[in-house]
Amino acid sequence: MHPRTHHKITTRSIDYEKPPVNELEYHADFWRNKAQDTLSQKLLEKHNTNIAKNVIMFLGDGMSIPTLKASRVYLGQLRNQSGEETVLSFEEFPYIGLSKTYCVDRQVPDSACTATAYLGGVKNNDATIGVTAAVALQDCDASLLDENRVMSIGKWSQDKGKRTGFVTTTRVTHASPAGVYAHTADRDWESDADDVPANCKDIAYQLIYDDIGSKLNVIMGGGRRNFIPKTLTDEEGDAGKRKDENLIQTWIKSKEGKNARYVWNKQDLLNVSNDTEYLLGLFESDHCKYHLDAEDNDPSLAEMTTKAIEILSNGNNGYFLFVEGGRIDHAHHDTKAQKALDETVEFHKAIQTAVEMTDEEDTLIVVTSDHAHTMSISGYGVRGNNIFGSPGNADDALPYSTLTYANGPGYRKEVDGKRSDTSQDITSKYNQDNNNLRFLTICAASVLNLK
C-alpha cells in the first residue's frame, strides 16, 4: 500500500486538498481494463449516415492544444481532483482531427482570414473577411466586386430556408462572428468611426442592413458602442462611436410586425420567449466581460447558447448556429493564463449544454479552433500540482512556471545575470500576467537583445 499524501493548493479560483492518486492506478489491470473499455465502446459505435438538419459550430478562438491540456487540469482542480484525468465535454466526441492554419499571405493566421476559411471554405489574406485573396488589406474597391466575395455557411443556410444566428463573447462585429455575414477589406472597420472609405460599409452597418446580417434570427455578444452614435450613451452609461445613426433602433424598426426582441442584460435574456423569431442581444459596450469578472447582469456563454438553440429550434427547416468562445484568445494575448483557461472551461460548458439540448440524429456539432498562442506547458510537475504554480527549479536553482508565454506583456530583464524569481509572483491574482515569459522569453530576449 502506498502512503497517502495531501498538499494544499490555493489560487483565486482553486483552493483544495490535492487528492491522493487512486490506488487502483498502481496496478496494470486498471489501465488495461480502461483500454479494453475504450476499444469496446469504439467497436459498438455506428456511423451516423443521416443528413444533418441542424448544424452548430463552436469556435474556441486561440484555443491551442496546450490550452486544452491546461484547461483539463484547471477544470479538474476546480472539482477538487488532481486534474490530469479530466476530460472536456467535446473531447468525448467520436471523431477528432487536426487542421492546418495559415493565410494566403501569412504563415500565422489571424481570426479574420481563418473565419473566412472555416465558414466560407476559402483561404484569403490576413485581416480581411468574406473576400478572396484578390483583395489586399484595405482595398475597398476590390472588396466590392462580386467575384471577390466569399459567401459563408450562414448564407448557404439562409438560402435553404434555415434559421441562422451566432453567439460570441467578443463584440458582434469582431473578426470571427463577422465571418458569418460580412465582406470587408479590413477587420478593423467595425463602425463608421473607424476610417472606413466612403464607398465601403462598416461591419456593424452590414450586420443590420445587408442581406445576410439582416436575416439572422439570433445575434448575441458585446459591442453596443459600434451601433449607437457618439452623441448617445447606452443602458450602462457608455458612449457610442458611430457618426451616422442608431443601428439598434434601425434593427428594431426593421422588425416591426414580427416577434422580435432587443435585450442588453441577463435577466431580459432569460425572459425572452422561446417563440421569438428575431433576437438582438448586446450585453456590453465592448467585449463581454471575462467570466471571472462577470456581474449579475452578464449572461454566460452557456446561457446565451441555450437561448439561441431554443429560438432557432422553432424553424421548420432546421438551423445553423455559430458559437464563439472569443475571450480565450484575448486572455492569451494579455498573458493572463487563468482567465484563458477559465474561458475555455466556459466554452466546454456551452458545448455540453448544446449536446444535452440536441439529438445527434439530426444535429451536427463541430468544435474547432482558428489558431494557437505561444503558451506552453513546461517541466515535470508532480501529479495534481497547481496548474498555475511551479513544477520545480531550473539549473539556476530558481523556480520556473508550469505555464509560460513566448511573447506578450510581462517580460522582465535579467538582473546581475539572473532571471526573475517566480516564487515571488502572486499567481492567485487572476488579473496578473500569469506565469508569463519568465523563462522562455527571457532566454529569447537575451539572444535578441530586446529592450
mmCIF file of all heavy atoms in Angstrom, residues 320-345:
data_model
loop_
_atom_site.group_PDB
_atom_site.id
_atom_site.type_symbol
_atom_site.label_atom_id
_atom_site.label_comp_id
_atom_site.label_asym_id
_atom_site.label_seq_id
_atom_site.Cartn_x
_atom_site.Cartn_y
_atom_site.Cartn_z
ATOM 1 N N PHE A 320 -28.657 26.911 -38.531
ATOM 2 C CA PHE A 320 -27.206 26.972 -38.374
ATOM 3 C C PHE A 320 -26.889 27.967 -37.269
ATOM 4 O O PHE A 320 -27.374 29.109 -37.278
ATOM 5 C CB PHE A 320 -26.495 27.419 -39.653
ATOM 6 C CG PHE A 320 -25.045 27.759 -39.432
ATOM 7 C CD1 PHE A 320 -24.113 26.755 -39.183
ATOM 8 C CD2 PHE A 320 -24.611 29.084 -39.411
ATOM 9 C CE1 PHE A 320 -22.776 27.063 -38.935
ATOM 10 C CE2 PHE A 320 -23.283 29.399 -39.171
ATOM 11 C CZ PHE A 320 -22.363 28.382 -38.932
ATOM 12 N N LEU A 321 -26.079 27.543 -36.309
ATOM 13 C CA LEU A 321 -25.679 28.397 -35.193
ATOM 14 C C LEU A 321 -24.164 28.381 -35.064
ATOM 15 O O LEU A 321 -23.545 27.314 -35.051
ATOM 16 C CB LEU A 321 -26.311 27.907 -33.889
ATOM 17 C CG LEU A 321 -25.841 28.593 -32.600
ATOM 18 C CD1 LEU A 321 -26.199 30.073 -32.599
ATOM 19 C CD2 LEU A 321 -26.436 27.898 -31.375
ATOM 20 N N PHE A 322 -23.576 29.567 -34.973
ATOM 21 C CA PHE A 322 -22.138 29.727 -34.737
ATOM 22 C C PHE A 322 -21.944 30.251 -33.317
ATOM 23 O O PHE A 322 -22.567 31.243 -32.929
ATOM 24 C CB PHE A 322 -21.547 30.705 -35.750
ATOM 25 C CG PHE A 322 -20.087 31.018 -35.542
ATOM 26 C CD1 PHE A 322 -19.108 30.075 -35.822
ATOM 27 C CD2 PHE A 322 -19.679 32.266 -35.073
ATOM 28 C CE1 PHE A 322 -17.762 30.362 -35.636
ATOM 29 C CE2 PHE A 322 -18.346 32.558 -34.879
ATOM 30 C CZ PHE A 322 -17.383 31.607 -35.166
ATOM 31 N N VAL A 323 -21.111 29.575 -32.531
ATOM 32 C CA VAL A 323 -20.862 29.974 -31.143
ATOM 33 C C VAL A 323 -19.355 30.127 -30.934
ATOM 34 O O VAL A 323 -18.594 29.176 -31.161
ATOM 35 C CB VAL A 323 -21.409 28.933 -30.140
ATOM 36 C CG1 VAL A 323 -21.155 29.390 -28.705
ATOM 37 C CG2 VAL A 323 -22.896 28.685 -30.370
ATOM 38 N N GLU A 324 -18.953 31.324 -30.511
ATOM 39 C CA GLU A 324 -17.522 31.583 -30.310
ATOM 40 C C GLU A 324 -17.194 31.857 -28.844
ATOM 41 O O GLU A 324 -17.792 32.720 -28.205
ATOM 42 C CB GLU A 324 -17.065 32.792 -31.135
ATOM 43 C CG GLU A 324 -15.566 33.061 -30.962
ATOM 44 C CD GLU A 324 -15.128 34.441 -31.426
ATOM 45 O OE1 GLU A 324 -15.977 35.354 -31.505
ATOM 46 O OE2 GLU A 324 -13.921 34.597 -31.694
ATOM 47 N N GLY A 325 -16.229 31.100 -28.329
ATOM 48 C CA GLY A 325 -15.596 31.449 -27.060
ATOM 49 C C GLY A 325 -14.417 32.353 -27.384
ATOM 50 O O GLY A 325 -13.272 31.908 -27.476
ATOM 51 N N GLY A 326 -14.697 33.635 -27.560
ATOM 52 C CA GLY A 326 -13.703 34.538 -28.137
ATOM 53 C C GLY A 326 -12.676 35.089 -27.185
ATOM 54 O O GLY A 326 -11.608 35.562 -27.605
ATOM 55 N N ARG A 327 -12.950 35.019 -25.886
ATOM 56 C CA ARG A 327 -12.048 35.674 -24.957
ATOM 57 C C ARG A 327 -10.933 34.760 -24.449
ATOM 58 O O ARG A 327 -10.055 35.193 -23.706
ATOM 59 C CB ARG A 327 -12.833 36.288 -23.816
ATOM 60 C CG ARG A 327 -13.935 37.233 -24.300
ATOM 61 C CD ARG A 327 -13.949 38.534 -23.566
ATOM 62 N NE ARG A 327 -12.764 39.332 -23.769
ATOM 63 C CZ ARG A 327 -12.444 40.399 -23.044
ATOM 64 N NH1 ARG A 327 -13.244 40.780 -22.051
ATOM 65 N NH2 ARG A 327 -11.351 41.090 -23.279
ATOM 66 N N ILE A 328 -10.961 33.500 -24.877
ATOM 67 C CA ILE A 328 -9.785 32.646 -24.669
ATOM 68 C C ILE A 328 -8.585 33.331 -25.313
ATOM 69 O O ILE A 328 -7.510 33.464 -24.721
ATOM 70 C CB ILE A 328 -10.004 31.255 -25.307
ATOM 71 C CG1 ILE A 328 -11.238 30.571 -24.724
ATOM 72 C CG2 ILE A 328 -8.766 30.383 -25.121
ATOM 73 C CD1 ILE A 328 -11.656 29.328 -25.504
ATOM 74 N N ASP A 329 -8.802 33.779 -26.523
ATOM 75 C CA ASP A 329 -7.777 34.457 -27.311
ATOM 76 C C ASP A 329 -7.282 35.731 -26.636
ATOM 77 O O ASP A 329 -6.073 35.968 -26.526
ATOM 78 C CB ASP A 329 -8.361 34.777 -28.687
ATOM 79 C CG ASP A 329 -7.420 35.560 -29.574
ATOM 80 O OD1 ASP A 329 -6.413 34.996 -30.012
ATOM 81 O OD2 ASP A 329 -7.707 36.740 -29.838
ATOM 82 N N HIS A 330 -8.220 36.557 -26.167
ATOM 83 C CA HIS A 330 -7.828 37.839 -25.576
ATOM 84 C C HIS A 330 -6.990 37.649 -24.315
ATOM 85 O O HIS A 330 -6.035 38.385 -24.077
ATOM 86 C CB HIS A 330 -9.081 38.661 -25.258
ATOM 87 C CG HIS A 330 -9.850 39.054 -26.464
ATOM 88 N ND1 HIS A 330 -11.173 39.447 -26.422
ATOM 89 C CD2 HIS A 330 -9.490 39.099 -27.774
ATOM 90 C CE1 HIS A 330 -11.581 39.731 -27.640
ATOM 91 N NE2 HIS A 330 -10.584 39.522 -28.476
ATOM 92 N N ALA A 331 -7.368 36.682 -23.500
ATOM 93 C CA ALA A 331 -6.601 36.429 -22.280
ATOM 94 C C ALA A 331 -5.191 35.959 -22.624
ATOM 95 O O ALA A 331 -4.216 36.365 -21.976
ATOM 96 C CB ALA A 331 -7.316 35.395 -21.420
ATOM 97 N N HIS A 332 -5.070 35.129 -23.641
ATOM 98 C CA HIS A 332 -3.734 34.697 -24.062
ATOM 99 C C HIS A 332 -2.912 35.871 -24.585
ATOM 100 O O HIS A 332 -1.707 35.959 -24.326
ATOM 101 C CB HIS A 332 -3.844 33.632 -25.151
ATOM 102 C CG HIS A 332 -4.004 32.247 -24.632
ATOM 103 N ND1 HIS A 332 -3.362 31.779 -23.509
ATOM 104 C CD2 HIS A 332 -4.736 31.190 -25.102
ATOM 105 C CE1 HIS A 332 -3.668 30.515 -23.305
ATOM 106 N NE2 HIS A 332 -4.504 30.135 -24.259
ATOM 107 N N HIS A 333 -3.534 36.769 -25.347
ATOM 108 C CA HIS A 333 -2.812 37.943 -25.837
ATOM 109 C C HIS A 333 -2.219 38.741 -24.677
ATOM 110 O O HIS A 333 -1.108 39.280 -24.780
ATOM 111 C CB HIS A 333 -3.746 38.848 -26.639
ATOM 112 C CG HIS A 333 -3.890 38.464 -28.076
ATOM 113 N ND1 HIS A 333 -2.831 38.472 -28.956
ATOM 114 C CD2 HIS A 333 -4.971 38.072 -28.798
ATOM 115 C CE1 HIS A 333 -3.250 38.096 -30.149
ATOM 116 N NE2 HIS A 333 -4.548 37.843 -30.085
ATOM 117 N N ASP A 334 -2.957 38.829 -23.589
ATOM 118 C CA ASP A 334 -2.513 39.600 -22.421
ATOM 119 C C ASP A 334 -1.743 38.749 -21.426
ATOM 120 O O ASP A 334 -1.436 39.198 -20.326
ATOM 121 C CB ASP A 334 -3.727 40.229 -21.719
ATOM 122 C CG ASP A 334 -4.350 41.341 -22.535
ATOM 123 O OD1 ASP A 334 -3.648 41.912 -23.397
ATOM 124 O OD2 ASP A 334 -5.544 41.638 -22.320
ATOM 125 N N THR A 335 -1.435 37.511 -21.802
ATOM 126 C CA THR A 335 -0.723 36.545 -20.952
ATOM 127 C C THR A 335 -1.380 36.407 -19.582
ATOM 128 O O THR A 335 -0.707 36.330 -18.557
ATOM 129 C CB THR A 335 0.777 36.901 -20.810
ATOM 130 O OG1 THR A 335 0.930 38.164 -20.150
ATOM 131 C CG2 THR A 335 1.470 36.944 -22.146
ATOM 132 N N LYS A 336 -2.695 36.321 -19.585
ATOM 133 C CA LYS A 336 -3.451 36.071 -18.357
ATOM 134 C C LYS A 336 -3.954 34.629 -18.424
ATOM 135 O O LYS A 336 -5.080 34.347 -18.855
ATOM 136 C CB LYS A 336 -4.595 37.072 -18.220
ATOM 137 C CG LYS A 336 -4.094 38.516 -18.093
ATOM 138 C CD LYS A 336 -5.212 39.476 -17.790
ATOM 139 C CE LYS A 336 -4.731 40.928 -17.803
ATOM 140 N NZ LYS A 336 -3.656 41.183 -16.853
ATOM 141 N N ALA A 337 -3.092 33.719 -17.986
ATOM 142 C CA ALA A 337 -3.355 32.297 -18.180
ATOM 143 C C ALA A 337 -4.614 31.830 -17.469
ATOM 144 O O ALA A 337 -5.380 31.026 -18.007
ATOM 145 C CB ALA A 337 -2.152 31.477 -17.695
ATOM 146 N N GLN A 338 -4.844 32.300 -16.256
ATOM 147 C CA GLN A 338 -6.001 31.817 -15.523
ATOM 148 C C GLN A 338 -7.299 32.185 -16.225
ATOM 149 O O GLN A 338 -8.233 31.388 -16.304
ATOM 150 C CB GLN A 338 -6.002 32.354 -14.091
ATOM 151 C CG GLN A 338 -7.065 31.699 -13.214
ATOM 152 C CD GLN A 338 -6.840 31.932 -11.741
ATOM 153 O OE1 GLN A 338 -5.784 32.369 -11.331
ATOM 154 N NE2 GLN A 338 -7.841 31.629 -10.947
ATOM 155 N N LYS A 339 -7.355 33.386 -16.770
ATOM 156 C CA LYS A 339 -8.554 33.781 -17.499
ATOM 157 C C LYS A 339 -8.701 32.979 -18.791
ATOM 158 O O LYS A 339 -9.811 32.612 -19.177
ATOM 159 C CB LYS A 339 -8.527 35.278 -17.797
ATOM 160 C CG LYS A 339 -8.848 36.134 -16.580
ATOM 161 C CD LYS A 339 -8.990 37.602 -16.932
ATOM 162 C CE LYS A 339 -9.514 38.381 -15.734
ATOM 163 N NZ LYS A 339 -9.672 39.819 -16.007
ATOM 164 N N ALA A 340 -7.608 32.697 -19.465
ATOM 165 C CA ALA A 340 -7.677 31.913 -20.699
ATOM 166 C C ALA A 340 -8.230 30.522 -20.419
ATOM 167 O O ALA A 340 -9.092 30.017 -21.149
ATOM 168 C CB ALA A 340 -6.303 31.822 -21.343
ATOM 169 N N LEU A 341 -7.746 29.892 -19.357
ATOM 170 C CA LEU A 341 -8.220 28.552 -19.029
ATOM 171 C C LEU A 341 -9.672 28.594 -18.556
ATOM 172 O O LEU A 341 -10.470 27.707 -18.883
ATOM 173 C CB LEU A 341 -7.339 27.911 -17.956
ATOM 174 C CG LEU A 341 -5.835 27.818 -18.247
ATOM 175 C CD1 LEU A 341 -5.168 26.873 -17.263
ATOM 176 C CD2 LEU A 341 -5.558 27.388 -19.676
ATOM 177 N N ASP A 342 -10.018 29.603 -17.787
ATOM 178 C CA ASP A 342 -11.386 29.710 -17.303
ATOM 179 C C ASP A 342 -12.359 29.936 -18.451
ATOM 180 O O ASP A 342 -13.464 29.376 -18.457
ATOM 181 C CB ASP A 342 -11.496 30.852 -16.285
ATOM 182 C CG ASP A 342 -12.827 30.846 -15.555
ATOM 183 O OD1 ASP A 342 -12.998 30.003 -14.649
ATOM 184 O OD2 ASP A 342 -13.701 31.661 -15.901
ATOM 185 N N GLU A 343 -11.975 30.733 -19.441
ATOM 186 C CA GLU A 343 -12.833 30.932 -20.608
ATOM 187 C C GLU A 343 -12.983 29.635 -21.403
ATOM 188 O O GLU A 343 -14.043 29.374 -21.988
ATOM 189 C CB GLU A 343 -12.262 32.034 -21.500
ATOM 190 C CG GLU A 343 -12.334 33.425 -20.897
ATOM 191 C CD GLU A 343 -13.753 33.900 -20.643
ATOM 192 O OE1 GLU A 343 -14.562 33.899 -21.591
ATOM 193 O OE2 GLU A 343 -14.053 34.271 -19.490
ATOM 194 N N THR A 344 -11.938 28.809 -21.411
ATOM 195 C CA THR A 344 -12.032 27.514 -22.080
ATOM 196 C C THR A 344 -13.014 26.604 -21.357
ATOM 197 O O THR A 344 -13.789 25.872 -21.984
ATOM 198 C CB THR A 344 -10.655 26.848 -22.162
ATOM 199 O OG1 THR A 344 -9.726 27.733 -22.798
ATOM 200 C CG2 THR A 344 -10.712 25.548 -22.956
ATOM 201 N N VAL A 345 -13.006 26.652 -20.035
ATOM 202 C CA VAL A 345 -13.969 25.869 -19.258
ATOM 203 C C VAL A 345 -15.393 26.342 -19.534
ATOM 204 O O VAL A 345 -16.324 25.535 -19.664
ATOM 205 C CB VAL A 345 -13.637 25.940 -17.755
ATOM 206 C CG1 VAL A 345 -14.772 25.386 -16.915
ATOM 207 C CG2 VAL A 345 -12.353 25.180 -17.464
#
